[in-house]
Amino acid sequence: MKKIALCQIPGMDVRAPSQGIAVLKAIALSKSFDAKCFDLNISVWNDLVDEGLGYLWADWSIEFAYALMNDKEFHELQSTSYDEETANRVLSCMHFHIDSMIYEYDPDVIGFSLFSIVQENTARIVIDYIKENYKDIEIIIGGPALRHYHEESLPKDILDKVDDYFIGDAEESFVNYLDGKKDFGGLNNINVNMHFDRDIWPSPDYRDFDFSLYPSKWREPHVRSSDEGTVYVTGSKGCVRACEFCDVHKIWPKFYQKQVNTVLRDIKSIREYFKFRNVFFTDSLINGSNKFIKDLSQGIIDEFGEKPFSWSGQWICKSKKSFTEEYFEIASRAGLNQIIVGIESGSEKVRWEMNKKFYNEDIYFTLEMCRKYNILFIPLMIAGYPTETDDDFKQTLDLAKKWIEYRDVVRPTCINMMMLLPGTDVTIDHDKYQLANITYAEVEAGYTPLDQNWSCGDNDYEKRIERFYEYQYQIKKAEMGLGHVKRKTLKRDYLNIAKIPNPELIHKIDYVNGIY
């Protein structure tokens, strides 16, 4: 029977091991296969962080993608550069850990999880290396980056190199693969069923991972820190909203809430062999169902006691009429200590255009509840949504003053410039948004998430850089934490595209970037 190595590849965040491959391992074991998980991401990080290369894992790993992209056309498009010395050091480290994994485990099959589009070049490199040096090993690949709803964005050159690939959530298709049934939806095709039962699968098996290797300060991947013991758990798939800039509702057209007993089973199963301190829910939103939050909180208290561990995840802002104080109170007693909230804009008009649909008073109520029940509130913000005007952005800066007022619970605050994802409503319906300068060759090449050349009226790349740093400057000047490490290329981009660079803005960029 085949031995299957399931691998996470660089560069992902380094807070915890991947849940996806842990679930697939548990499924393989339930079918009597020999399977083992390997986190090449954390192995490479641990080798390179003390050499000063930890920054490559920052800013959602975009710098990692740049470091390995030996493609002149790509770097011209992105206004970036290729550092051969850094790339060679990273490559040698990756090759070393692939060799070590194969020597240690001697697998018949190696499966790679491709979580993000910025990992595509990593996948190309490791697949080519294995095919060149270990010709008898089968290669399979899957993960969220293989978007079933937008076939044109699939990395076809990668899929052509592997023996089998999995599109969409792979529980069902992986079982069929193990059974030798290759004619199943989602296995080597995009005919994916995303509405299968999520409560019948085994709990993720994390026993192959050394949790002491994962730093607690995952937003500072250049810093080693003590083990916080974080595990990933999933309570739902999809989202109850359909935000125009987001692709979650494209991947999961229907929101699926797992049963509370399933989630408690997973937590209890992991707790039997690892006494973690934190659970991070991978859900697009953990409070999509009010009943789920209440029942989960009560279940944790009944099973483990009050605040047996902390838990957190992404959160949707709801009104106090629908999500009342009682939900915050019981969740806090059960250990909820942090919510990551997609606020996106201080302008209610812009949020309605995004399809977010909540009011500022809902934000203020949530902040009050977080302060009362000692729950950290991490707002996610966007600078430069297509319809955002100068007045709309002023309202975002005004909302930043509210974050400063609630600095005891708001930290850090994160903002990103608006990016166009392939297949999202904004990108598809670009005529509605009157977007210009979109090159569809870039969409097909997978460059779009990094591309900022698009414009909407005077909302162009230069404007978005200005707004990005205006927000960051206000937050940092108030001595509050900034959530995202800034791309090193933004200042250079601004100087390249601004006809008359604004000295005051350059001052703010340098201040935010810690130059003085």
Side-chain angles (χ1 to χ4, degrees):
M1 187 170 285
K2 294 178 179 179
K3 296 173 66 178
I4 305 173
L6 298 163
C7 305
Q8 183 60 61
I9 59 176
M12 282 185 63
D13 74 57
V14 290
R15 110 185 82 181
S18 168
Q19 181 183 212
I21 58 176
V23 171
L24 295 184
K25 178 199 172 182
I27 291 173
L29 294 182
S30 72
K31 301 284 290 184
S32 300
F33 278 78
D34 188 334
K36 188 171 183 178
C37 294
F38 295 87
D39 192 341
L40 301 179
N41 181 55
I42 200 65
S43 297
V44 174
W45 178 85
N46 269 280
D47 280 1
L48 298 182
V49 66
D50 291 335
E51 300 178 22
L53 297 177
Y55 74 90
L56 294 174
W57 277 260
D59 199 14
W60 304 110
S61 304
I62 289 176
E63 293 286 356
F64 198 99
Y66 289 162
L68 301 181
M69 190 69 76
N70 187 7
D71 183 331
K72 182 179 179 180
E73 181 180 352
F74 173 89
H75 288 289
E76 288 178 352
L77 176 67
Q78 302 302 332
S79 300
T80 57
S81 59
Y82 174 69
D83 185 338
E84 184 175 4
E85 182 178 354
T86 296
N88 287 340
R89 178 66 187 103
V90 174
L91 290 174
S92 66
C93 190
M94 288 169 55
H95 293 162
F96 170 79
H97 285 288
I98 291 172
D99 293 338
S100 299
M101 172 187 68
I102 293 174
Y103 178 79
E104 170 193 338
Y105 186 56
D106 191 25
D108 301 296
V109 180
I110 297 180
F112 293 109
S113 176
L114 190 58
F115 181 79
S116 166
I117 197 169
V118 298
Q119 291 178 287
E120 285 185 4
N121 205 45
T122 311
R124 293 182 178 97
I125 290 167
V126 297
I127 290 170
D128 286 345
Y129 183 76
I130 292 171
K131 288 177 71 69
E132 180 179 350
N133 295 279
Y134 303 97
K135 294 180 174 59
D136 294 332
I137 295 179
E138 295 179 25
I139 302 174
I140 60 177
I141 195 167
L146 305 182
R147 296 177 173 88
H148 65 275
Y149 65 85
H150 190 59
E151 186 174 11
E152 290 77 12
S153 69
L154 290 175
K156 294 181 176 61
D157 65 311
I158 296 177
L159 303 186
D160 288 341
K161 294 177 181 180
V162 302
D163 294 277
D164 294 287
Y165 61 87
F166 301 82
I167 304 293
D169 293 341
E171 287 92 334
E172 285 191 327
S173 53
F174 189 61
V175 167
N176 279 267
Y177 164 82
L178 295 175
D179 290 339
K181 301 175 182 178
K182 300 288 186 77
D183 58 347
F184 190 80
L187 179 52
N188 301 321
N189 61 71
I190 64 168
N191 301 318
V192 182
N193 171 28
M194 297 295 278
H195 305 304
F196 58 83
D197 191 344
R198 312 283 178 165
D199 293 284
I200 63 175
W201 307 101
S203 301
D205 188 329
Y206 290 114
R207 287 176 291 183
D208 292 330
F209 301 99
D210 181 353
F211 283 86
S212 67
L213 299 178
Y214 297 83
S216 60
K217 296 182 179 179
W218 62 277
R219 286 196 179 276
E220 299 180 49
H222 54 289
V223 178
R224 286 190 184 276
S225 50
S226 61
D227 174 34
E228 287 288 314
T230 297
V231 295
Y232 290 137
V233 173
T234 298
S236 66
K237 293 284 188 175
C239 186
V240 298
R241 297 273 169 83
C243 296
E244 300 248 314
F245 60 85
C246 181
D247 64 358
V248 167
H249 64 287
K250 302 286 187 175
I251 300 172
W252 297 280
K254 293 183 180 180
F255 178 70
Y256 186 99
Q257 182 69 69
K258 286 185 176 180
Q259 296 177 13
V260 168
N261 287 340
T262 302
V263 179
L264 291 173
R265 178 209 65 184
D266 291 349
I267 294 173
K268 185 176 181 181
S269 173
I270 301 167
R271 199 116 176 115
E272 288 176 355
Y273 57 85
F274 176 57
K275 297 300 186 290
F276 51 81
R277 292 176 57 187
N278 308 298
V279 170
F280 186 88
F281 282 92
T282 65
D283 309 38
S284 297
L285 69 170
I286 57 178
N287 66 330
S289 164
N290 294 6
K291 184 178 186 301
F292 174 81
I293 281 288
K294 188 173 184 179
D295 292 348
L296 175 66
S297 299
Q298 190 61 58
I300 291 174
I301 293 170
D302 293 343
E303 183 73 41
F304 305 104
E306 292 196 359
K307 297 187 177 181
F309 46 80
S310 63
W311 50 281
S312 59
Q314 296 190 98
W315 192 270
I316 190 171
C317 188
K318 295 183 175 181
S319 73
K320 60 183 177 182
K321 293 180 180 179
S322 64
F323 202 84
T324 59
E325 181 173 347
E326 66 173 316
Y327 295 103
F328 289 95
E329 187 274 334
I330 191 171
S332 174
R333 286 197 291 117
L336 176 65
N337 76 325
Q338 176 180 277
I339 56 176
I340 303 170
V341 190
I343 300 297
E344 317 307 356
S345 174
S347 166
E348 292 179 348
K349 174 184 73 71
V350 170
R351 289 203 302 269
W352 241 254
E353 291 163 344
M354 293 175 171
N355 209 26
K356 299 293 292 186
K357 296 183 179 179
F358 57 85
Y359 298 98
N360 286 345
E361 65 180 27
D362 302 327
I363 302 173
Y364 306 152
F365 171 74
T366 303
L367 285 169
E368 280 297 321
M369 292 299 97
C370 286
R371 173 175 279 173
K372 182 172 182 178
Y373 294 105
N374 197 28
I375 300 168
L376 294 181
F377 179 103
I378 300 179
L380 303 180
M381 307 294 291
I382 292 176
Y385 192 74
T387 60
E388 181 183 84
T389 64
D390 288 340
D391 183 66
D392 291 324
F393 183 68
K394 180 181 181 301
Q395 294 176 56
T396 292
L397 293 180
D398 290 341
L399 186 58
K401 297 175 183 177
K402 183 66 69 171
W403 307 150
I404 296 169
E405 178 185 339
Y406 283 83
R407 62 194 306 154
D408 53 320
V409 294
V410 177
R411 61 180 188 272
T413 172
C414 310
I415 191 168
N416 259 323
M417 290 183 294
M418 174 67 190
M419 295 183 180
L420 302 179
L421 290 176
T424 58
D425 295 325
V426 170
T427 305
I428 292 173
D429 199 5
H430 57 88
D431 288 338
K432 167 186 171 183
Y433 284 92
Q434 299 180 333
L435 300 182
N437 301 321
I438 299 178
T439 305
Y440 281 88
E442 296 162 13
V443 173
E444 295 174 3
Y447 291 166
T448 305
L450 309 181
D451 176 43
Q452 288 285 354
N453 292 325
W454 63 271
S455 62
C456 181
D458 68 347
N459 181 356
D460 56 13
Y461 190 21
E462 180 180 351
K463 176 77 74 172
R464 290 190 291 277
I465 292 175
E466 292 174 358
R467 289 175 178 171
F468 177 80
Y469 279 108
E470 287 288 350
Y471 180 94
Q472 298 269 27
Y473 178 78
Q474 182 165 312
I475 294 297
K476 185 171 182 178
K477 191 175 180 181
E479 299 183 345
M480 294 182 67
L482 297 174
H484 290 161
V485 178
K486 273 59 61 187
R487 279 176 51 191
K488 296 176 180 295
T489 58
L490 285 185
K491 180 180 177 181
R492 181 176 63 193
D493 288 358
Y494 175 73
L495 293 174
N496 285 339
I497 61 179
K499 292 181 179 179
I500 305 177
N502 184 337
E504 183 179 354
L505 180 65
I506 294 173
H507 167 83
K508 292 178 179 179
I509 292 174
D510 289 342
Y511 177 77
V512 169
N513 290 340
I515 293 178
Y516 66 90

